[in-house]
Amino acid sequence: MARTPTGTGSAEAELAQALRTGPFHLALRTALSARGLALHRVQHRLAQRGVKVGVTSLSYWQQGARRPRRPESLRAVRMLEEVLELPAQALTRLLEPVPRAETARPAGRSYRLLVEESRALERLLAELESPADGGLHTVCHLEHVHIGAGRELRGRASHHVVRAHRDGVDRYLAIHRGDPGCDPGRVTVRADENCRVGRVRWQSAAGVLVAELLFDVRLRAGETHVFGYGFEDGTAGPSTEYVRGFSFAAGQYVLQVRFDEAALPVRCRRFVQASAAAPRTGQQELTLSGRHHGVHLAEQPVRPGILGIAWDWS
């Protein structure tokens, strides 16, 4: 009979969280820490159960450098659950395929398909040394857009929840694409919560700006982070839509567009696009509501592509 797991309450709570949310290597590493077992001791206990696995393989598994796939490796994982006094399937279930929107590194789509100013954007991202996906998966993104009295995009604010899928992630690159005539050099970047503004780069002709938002912590794989940021614009002419491009699948996205009382549109509708060049589909009429004169869309899960709200002026 397995004895009651040892360790502090906080360690057990951390372990329970890791086993619930994964990924596999984080859960394994947390379990090893909570039980206070060195890899050579784990290897010895597995050998006593008739399972041969090298210390190097165990190390790779807990680092996320390799993933158990072969039948003998999966058998070793089942024995690991016993050695580490974990519930049955606690680790093996984390090796099972999950729905696309919840995968740590979902299939992506190039920015070239998402925005017309892709080349300028790619240059800015390269200048800021951005990896392909930034190491973060969006769990939830709440975005508020404010359209001013002159029908211009006054600004937008985001409340973002992300999960790291590799160790050491400590920043997020936020992209602002203004309306025609936007002067990105006059756009203000604002760090509202749990981040600070780092490097900011823009391309005036394309009206695109990329801002580096620095976290105060380095995330480990599987950890989540909540942060808020915004952009103050107001530099372009009348706005007729707001779109958000997704290179990767995400959890939930909520977009709210609020209009100034002095400038209300006559019609609003949501839409989706597979790419910037693709036709708009899934169009749905939206009704202005509330004293803040707003409309919104909510999408869960989010697939790679474009989501947006468009409106017509009188």
Side-chain angles (χ1 to χ4, degrees), residues 26-103:
L26 174 65
L28 175 58
R29 185 170 63 216
T30 306
L32 290 167
S33 176
R35 300 298 180 253
L37 290 176
L39 293 182
H40 71 275
R41 291 183 62 193
V42 172
Q43 180 195 37
H44 177 68
R45 295 188 182 186
L46 288 173
Q48 289 178 324
R49 291 165 170 78
V51 175
K52 293 183 178 181
V53 60
V55 170
T56 300
S57 293
L58 291 171
S59 178
Y60 284 160
W61 291 355
Q62 71 159 345
Q63 294 172 27
R66 290 182 185 173
R67 188 176 174 88
R69 298 184 186 279
R70 296 181 298 175
E72 57 268 32
S73 297
L74 296 177
R75 179 169 177 260
V77 173
R78 290 192 291 270
M79 288 299 102
L80 271 173
E81 293 167 348
E82 183 178 316
V83 169
L84 297 173
E85 301 174 341
L86 303 175
Q89 303 293 313
L91 292 174
T92 52
R93 74 171 188 83
L94 296 174
L95 296 170
E96 298 173 355
V98 295
R100 181 181 182 183
E102 298 177 5
T103 54

Side-chain angles (χ1 to χ4, degrees), residues 187-259:
V187 172
T188 301
V189 185
R190 188 180 69 248
D192 296 331
E193 181 181 6
N194 296 327
C195 65
R196 65 185 188 279
V197 179
R199 296 172 292 176
V200 178
R201 301 289 186 271
W202 64 85
Q203 216 288 333
S204 296
V208 175
L209 177 149
V210 180
E212 182 182 52
L213 300 172
L214 304 173
F215 305 154
D216 293 328
V217 297
R218 285 184 176 271
L219 302 178
R220 297 175 65 182
E223 289 184 332
T224 56
H225 188 65
V226 179
F227 63 104
Y229 60 93
F231 295 91
E232 299 299 330
D233 193 337
T235 66
S239 179
T240 59
E241 64 182 19
Y242 185 81
V243 300
R244 164 67 63 172
F246 294 88
S247 287
F248 299 90
Q252 181 185 55
Y253 175 64
V254 178
L255 168 63
Q256 182 180 25
V257 180
R258 180 166 59 91
F259 297 90

Side-chain angles (χ1 to χ4, degrees), residues 57-202:
S57 293
L58 291 171
S59 178
Y60 284 160
W61 291 355
Q62 71 159 345
Q63 294 172 27
R66 290 182 185 173
R67 188 176 174 88
R69 298 184 186 279
R70 296 181 298 175
E72 57 268 32
S73 297
L74 296 177
R75 179 169 177 260
V77 173
R78 290 192 291 270
M79 288 299 102
L80 271 173
E81 293 167 348
E82 183 178 316
V83 169
L84 297 173
E85 301 174 341
L86 303 175
Q89 303 293 313
L91 292 174
T92 52
R93 74 171 188 83
L94 296 174
L95 296 170
E96 298 173 355
V98 295
R100 181 181 182 183
E102 298 177 5
T103 54
R105 302 190 67 172
R109 197 170 287 182
S110 169
Y111 275 113
R112 191 177 305 282
L113 298 175
L114 298 180
V115 292
E116 297 168 0
E117 299 83 359
S118 60
R119 292 183 180 177
L121 179 56
E122 287 168 357
R123 284 196 295 270
L124 295 177
L125 292 173
E127 188 175 341
L128 293 175
E129 303 165 337
S130 171
D133 65 355
L136 296 170
H137 169 70
T138 294
V139 177
C140 180
H141 184 181
L142 307 179
E143 186 165 34
H144 297 265
V145 173
H146 178 207
I147 304 301
R151 301 181 175 181
E152 80 285 8
L153 173 63
R154 291 299 308 168
R156 61 186 182 88
S158 286
H159 198 70
H160 220 130
V161 184
V162 295
R163 175 178 286 111
H165 59 68
R166 65 167 175 264
D167 291 339
V169 180
D170 62 356
R171 64 174 181 157
Y172 174 82
L173 295 184
I175 300 168
H176 180 72
R177 175 176 175 249
D179 288 308
C182 167
D183 181 359
R186 293 165 50 205
V187 172
T188 301
V189 185
R190 188 180 69 248
D192 296 331
E193 181 181 6
N194 296 327
C195 65
R196 65 185 188 279
V197 179
R199 296 172 292 176
V200 178
R201 301 289 186 271
W202 64 85

